[in-house]
Amino acid sequence: MSKLESLRIAIVHEWFVNYSGSERVVEQILNLFPHADLFAVVDFLEDSQRGYIQHKQVTTTFIQKLPFAKTKFRQYLPLMPLAIEQLDLSAYDLIISSSHAVAKGVLTSPHQLHISYVHSPIRYAWDLQHQYLRESNLEKGIKSWIARWILHQIRLWDTRTANGVDRFVANSQFIARRIQKVYRRDAQVIYPPVDLQNYVLCEQKQDFYLTASRLVPYKRVDLIVEAFSQMSDRQLIVIGDGEQMPKIRAKAGKNVQFLGYREPAELKAYMQNAKAFVFASEEDFGITPVEAQACGTPVIAFSRGGVTESVIGLEGDRPTGVFFAEQSVDSICEAVLKFEKYQHLIEPKVCRDNAMQFSTERFLTEFYNFVKQAWENYSKEVSRRIP
């Protein structure tokens, strides 16, 4: 590790405001390279939350000081390409960006190696643009055309800045295909780290189904609730909160119980005891289905996105769940019935074993080896160019 430890390393992330999937990746990259410096568009972490970035100071952009940035920083998306380009990384040998929006767009020179771990190309600017406009009520009118023009400009910028990345890493095969589609570049797949140490196998299940996520439109919890409301003899527990809570509650039958936000320890207990975990969104990877499997709990999931790589369907030799083909109430109902018919084929121990391949230890080994090999190849290439 000594060669990499001697390098000047910068880690660039979109923004530090909470601790979710992409931040878990940054946390483990920092564990590999604790001497690295951090950069981001904004940093609004409270002191009590800064442990996962080792209480480091983060160099931010001018957006940090704009009005209402702490709560409305996403509204400054049109300025973010300009902002990220103002970060001065010229003093570093190795730049590692953790990108789902603009982080990969930092400016680098030929004597620097830029590795970008991509959680997704900018979703709302590419294949999910129409969904974004629909959910934001921006399908018609002058505001719609302004939004479409801004997203068009972001796509042009996003494509151009892909040229500044030397090596791409994707968090799933699904995202690797999206990177190929958008940037015409190959990407090494390294699944994100899932902290599974505190998820305990439980083989005795109770008679309820579980779903857990933020209650926002693309998670499609509304479809899950509608489906179980039609199956009134089955119990569904919903954990999570968000803007769609009133709308989803209005669709729920008496067999659907809303628990709101729950601390991680309590959520784990529900995961351990659930008959199955239901997952209806199209995710880049999807951490909660892996966590559920680590508890020995099967997953009923929409058959698109990263979850198809972390869950093994009934067609596999050692299944860990059941897939449904459409984001619809009928499709979810059919999948639940199918699960109940074949659930004897799904063993809790097999679910647990499947989840363990996505452990933090695996990520640390794979990502470090990738960076080491990339730096060695880069160094050899530079040496050949020097007369």
Side-chain angles (χ1 to χ4, degrees), residues 257-300:
Q257 183 180 4
F258 292 86
L259 300 184
Y261 172 78
R262 285 292 185 268
E263 293 294 334
E266 193 173 356
L267 173 58
K268 290 172 190 175
Y270 279 101
M271 279 187 171
Q272 289 173 318
N273 289 290
K275 179 185 292 187
F277 184 84
V278 189
F279 190 77
S281 64
E282 179 181 331
E283 295 281 3
D284 307 326
F285 175 68
I287 288 177
T288 49
V290 176
E291 294 172 337
Q293 290 175 87
C295 298
T297 300
V299 176
I300 301 172

Side-chain angles (χ1 to χ4, degrees), residues 41-209:
V41 174
V42 295
D43 170 22
F44 292 114
L45 285 177
E46 301 293 337
D47 289 343
S48 61
Q49 299 175 306
R50 304 189 72 82
Y52 80 88
I53 60 169
Q54 302 176 14
H55 299 279
K56 284 178 175 285
Q57 182 177 350
V58 179
T59 301
T60 58
T61 70
F62 64 83
I63 292 178
Q64 179 84 17
K65 297 181 179 180
L66 293 181
F68 310 109
K70 186 170 184 178
T71 56
K72 303 290 186 181
F73 65 91
R74 288 183 177 84
Q75 304 298 320
Y76 290 113
L77 175 65
L79 295 178
M80 287 186 185
L82 173 64
I84 204 74
E85 291 177 345
Q86 306 316 306
L87 293 174
D88 183 2
L89 304 179
S90 58
Y92 297 92
D93 305 303
L94 171 63
I95 290 89
I96 300 174
S97 59
S98 162
S99 186
H100 56 76
V102 299
K104 77 161 183 39
V106 290
L107 300 180
T108 59
S109 68
H111 67 266
Q112 296 172 303
L113 176 65
H114 180 188
I115 296 172
S116 187
Y117 188 100
V118 176
H119 308 277
S120 176
I122 309 175
R123 303 173 187 87
Y124 31 86
W126 290 100
D127 50 314
L128 299 184
Q129 173 189 289
H130 301 293
Q131 178 181 328
Y132 165 75
L133 293 172
R134 184 167 56 251
E135 293 173 354
S136 303
N137 294 318
L138 289 172
E139 291 185 279
K140 298 179 180 179
I142 186 65
K143 288 185 178 180
S144 172
W145 284 108
I146 292 173
R148 292 171 192 271
W149 182 83
I150 290 172
L151 293 174
H152 173 70
Q153 295 301 315
I154 288 176
R155 281 193 294 275
L156 295 176
W157 176 86
D158 192 36
T159 304
R160 178 186 63 76
T161 56
N163 294 325
V165 177
D166 297 293
R167 297 294 301 275
F168 277 104
V169 181
N171 69 354
S172 64
Q173 296 288 350
F174 174 64
I175 292 303
R177 291 192 295 272
R178 187 177 276 173
I179 289 171
Q180 177 60 230
K181 182 82 171 180
V182 172
Y183 306 139
R184 294 301 175 188
R185 297 281 299 278
D186 293 331
Q188 174 74 35
V189 174
I190 300 178
Y191 292 111
V194 185
D195 184 5
L196 301 174
Q197 291 184 345
N198 297 321
Y199 289 83
V200 179
L201 173 65
C202 180
E203 301 196 44
Q204 300 301 317
K205 302 299 181 182
Q206 297 180 21
D207 192 22
F208 70 88
Y209 292 85

